[in-house]
Amino acid sequence: MTLEPLLSASPIIQIHAYAAIAALILGACVLFRRKGDARHKAMGRFWVALMAVVAVSSLFIWEIRTFGLFSPIHILSLVTLFGLYKGVGHARARRIALHRRTMQALYLGALGIAGIFTLAPGRIMHRVVFGVDAGFPLNPFVLAAGIALALLAGWLVVRARRLPEA
């Protein structure tokens, strides 16, 4: 593992990556702690701001060009911004179940699934995690760790849905 590829990347990629990492960590804290209190609301607002930074900054990353400057990943950015708008709207309207589902979906989809794609060979985060010249890791340990993390993430999402609202 080396941070050199990220540290030498453009400022917009650095902003995007650091905000995504912070949103991944903070989002887990928000999703799996007590709900509805002042701390949850403050952490949630900060998470929404981080997610907005992640989504907006991604619109200025044009390494994969499918449609002019843009690629299908940019659609996810727009969906994320819309989801943040709807999720906050649900919370303000006291539609807590819809708020919870929207935010869980954003966490899993916009951070989890999109995050997995950043580990594809040729991407900066692939070089950060697996090394500059590494190919796709077929190492059994890496494969087992990836499967274990995916199962853990799925279990946490299922468990979070079973928790009573606070």
Side-chain angles (χ1 to χ4, degrees), residues 2 10 28 48 61 63 80 89 110 127 143 146 151 154 159:
T2 175
S10 70
V48 167
I61 299 172
E63 291 182 344
T80 297
R127 292 192 304 268
L143 181 61
L151 291 172
R159 182 176 177 273

Side-chain angles (χ1 to χ4, degrees), residues 88-143:
V88 170
H90 292 319
R92 287 184 176 169
R94 307 267 189 252
R95 295 185 298 262
I96 302 305
L98 286 173
H99 167 72
R100 181 179 57 246
R101 279 190 295 244
T102 302
M103 295 311 191
Q104 287 173 343
L106 283 169
Y107 184 82
L108 185 61
L111 287 174
I113 294 170
I116 289 170
F117 286 110
T118 67
L119 297 176
R123 306 291 308 270
I124 290 172
M125 293 310 289
H126 176 84
R127 292 192 304 268
V128 167
V129 173
F130 301 114
V132 175
D133 296 323
F136 190 76
L138 294 177
N139 178 319
F141 173 75
V142 173
L143 181 61

